[in-house]
Amino acid sequence: MAKIITCFRPFLLFFAVFVVPNFGFGQDSTLFDSEEILELSLKGDVRQLFKNTKGEAQYFDFSLGYADEIGVQHSIPLRVRTRGHFRRQMNLCDYPPLLLNFTKENTGNTIFSGQDKLKLVMPCQGEKYVLREFYAYKVYNQLTPKSFKVRLVRLTIVDDSDKPKNYASFLGFLIEEEEQMAKRNQMAALDKELVKPESIELNDFLRMSVFQYLIGNTDWSIQYRQNIKLISPSENQKPVAVPYDFDHAGIVRPPYAMPAPELKLATVADRRYRGYCMEEMQLFESIFSEFNTKKDAIYALYAESKLLDSKSIKSTINYLDEFYATINNSKRVKADFQYPCLSGGTGNVVIKGLK
């Protein structure tokens, strides 16, 4: 359950610490450039890894296997730990999300060359929800390059514990590292706490917050960096907010997802714009125009998908229809996007993070 702060507090802007990425020579960019499903195997003491769901996560030694384009088999030693908060809880997910920790000397001449720590999203309560979250990332990729790239994988788990268990292969996806995403956009990751939403570059903030409204995601905040990363070209320029972690979004709608009760929403499928108050609706016009321009490409992600089931495709397209009907209706758009200006609403609720 998300911890909620129901009023704004003074936010001090601290000095920005830039994380300058240092990637190894010969890095293979095709890891996130390809649309092909990457076949992977993960071998190690799976029983101990999956039991590690409480307290500080512990690393375990594993090996990651894959075959390259010419069929050569690679086996990469690495360390793996569980990660996250909500999805890491015991008995909630079939598989907890993982963090893959590579070392440079073990990834040379492989597709993982130059990688450091990669997030691996695993199916919590079914593959279809993994795919729905994957496509949410792909929607944001359509809108801006200042977004996290993702790569679908089919994972085979080989349990090397003293009581090995057989696992069927399943779909998951890898998420681009923050530093690489920043470098790709000629920026750097920004370590800055307690940031005001108003301090974010305006158009990037509006694009991000309208996107969150589109997918029905309320589980984010700028102030406490809840599911938000910051990047910037320099410490003297306004940062850009990059969203991630969309499993609580209405467009994904897994069985465990519930909106924070303080938001007074019935389900995660109910949209709520969570930007700050802007009474001048013309500020949104160029952003809505971008979404309209990208409409066909966004719909095509779902309509042309060979992986999503027909029910997911139909329900998602209906969900998108509702968004586009709103942003192209002057009365509805004003009511929804000026919601944060209402004194009696929940527009001032700030999500701090998960317990």
Side-chain angles (χ1 to χ4, degrees):
M1 183 60 66
K3 183 177 180 181
I4 301 296
I5 305 297
T6 56
C7 62
F8 287 110
R9 297 173 8 193
F11 295 101
L12 299 177
L13 297 183
F14 292 92
F15 181 74
V17 178
F18 282 79
V19 182
V20 180
N22 181 20
F23 304 126
F25 177 79
Q27 177 183 344
D28 191 338
S29 63
T30 60
L31 177 59
F32 288 101
D33 290 343
S34 174
E35 297 295 331
E36 296 293 324
I37 298 176
L38 180 62
E39 301 279 348
L40 296 177
S41 65
L42 193 62
K43 181 179 180 180
D45 193 333
V46 178
R47 185 169 64 88
Q48 289 298 320
L49 175 66
F50 286 177
K51 282 174 59 180
N52 189 230
T53 58
K54 294 181 179 180
E56 185 174 352
Q58 176 184 350
Y59 275 112
F60 297 89
D61 292 329
F62 272 75
S63 62
L64 188 70
Y66 80 100
D68 63 23
E69 293 179 352
I70 60 174
V72 176
Q73 295 288 331
H74 296 265
S75 181
I76 304 172
L78 78 166
R79 296 185 302 155
V80 181
R81 68 167 175 83
T82 56
R83 64 175 182 84
H85 299 280
F86 191 83
R87 282 187 275 189
R88 185 175 172 243
Q89 294 175 9
M90 182 69 79
N91 300 324
L92 173 66
C93 293
D94 297 331
Y95 305 98
L98 301 178
L99 185 69
L100 311 181
N101 190 347
F102 298 91
T103 56
K104 290 181 180 180
E105 57 266 27
N106 291 327
T107 58
N109 299 316
T110 75
I111 198 172
F112 295 97
S113 177
Q115 303 293 338
D116 182 15
K117 295 182 177 69
L118 285 176
K119 293 177 179 178
L120 174 60
V121 178
M122 310 267 275
C124 179
Q125 294 187 11
E127 274 189 358
K128 67 179 180 181
Y129 303 112
V130 167
L131 288 170
R132 290 178 186 180
E133 185 176 6
F134 169 81
Y135 278 104
Y137 280 92
K138 300 298 281 186
V139 169
Y140 202 53
N141 293 159
Q142 292 288 334
L143 295 166
T144 175
K146 288 171 278 190
S147 57
F148 285 101
K149 289 185 176 182
V150 286
R151 175 77 183 270
L152 273 178
V153 301
R154 187 175 299 280
L155 186 66
T156 299
I157 291 180
V158 181
D159 188 0
D160 199 24
S161 66
D162 55 359
K163 295 180 180 180
K165 178 181 177 181
N166 292 325
Y167 293 90
S169 62
F170 53 80
L171 289 174
F173 64 89
L174 296 167
I175 305 176
E176 183 181 24
E177 288 186 86
E178 178 185 359
E179 288 78 13
Q180 292 196 16
M181 178 273 294
K183 184 179 180 182
R184 174 167 53 81
N185 287 284
Q186 299 181 322
M187 296 186 185
L190 187 61
D191 184 11
K192 201 173 186 179
E193 299 296 332
L194 301 179
V195 177
K196 290 182 178 180
E198 293 86 348
S199 69
I200 304 298
E201 198 285 322
L202 180 59
N203 280 342
D204 282 294
F205 176 82
L206 291 177
R207 184 182 300 110
M208 182 276 300
S209 56
V210 172
F211 161 76
Q212 302 274 30
Y213 173 88
L214 179 153
I215 66 171
N217 189 35
T218 59
D219 187 25
W220 66 276
S221 70
I222 299 295
Q223 292 89 334
Y224 290 101
R225 302 278 292 279
Q226 173 68 4
N227 297 328
I228 293 288
K229 297 295 185 182
L230 300 181
I231 60 175
S232 181
S234 76
E235 63 183 81
N236 297 319
Q237 293 180 261
K238 288 187 173 184
V240 172
V242 184
Y244 67 98
D245 198 351
F246 308 126
D247 70 307
H248 276 65
I251 208 167
V252 179
R253 210 177 311 177
Y256 58 79
M258 293 292 292
E262 288 83 354
L263 295 177
K264 299 179 181 179
L265 296 171
T267 73
V268 292
D270 294 337
R271 288 186 170 97
R272 173 66 51 78
Y273 180 66
R274 303 201 61 248
Y276 53 89
C277 175
M278 290 185 184
E279 295 181 345
E280 299 177 6
M281 286 303 299
Q282 63 266 30
L283 294 172
F284 289 91
E285 289 179 0
S286 63
I287 301 301
F288 291 154
S289 179
E290 288 182 19
F291 279 81
N292 281 321
T293 299
K294 295 291 185 177
K295 179 179 179 180
D296 289 346
I298 291 171
Y299 274 70
L301 286 171
Y302 296 93
E304 298 174 7
S305 173
K306 304 300 182 184
L307 298 169
L308 288 169
D309 61 273
S310 58
K311 185 177 179 180
S312 291
I313 293 172
K314 183 178 179 180
S315 64
T316 303
I317 288 177
N318 288 338
Y319 200 62
L320 293 173
D321 286 343
E322 294 170 2
F323 166 80
Y324 279 100
T326 295
I327 68 167
N328 290 294
N329 181 296
S330 58
K331 290 184 178 180
R332 289 172 62 180
V333 77
K334 185 175 181 179
D336 279 20
F337 287 87
Q338 285 193 354
Y339 178 83
C341 301
L342 297 178
S343 59
T346 60
N348 65 335
V349 171
V350 181
I351 295 181
K352 183 176 182 180
L354 296 168
K355 293 183 179 179

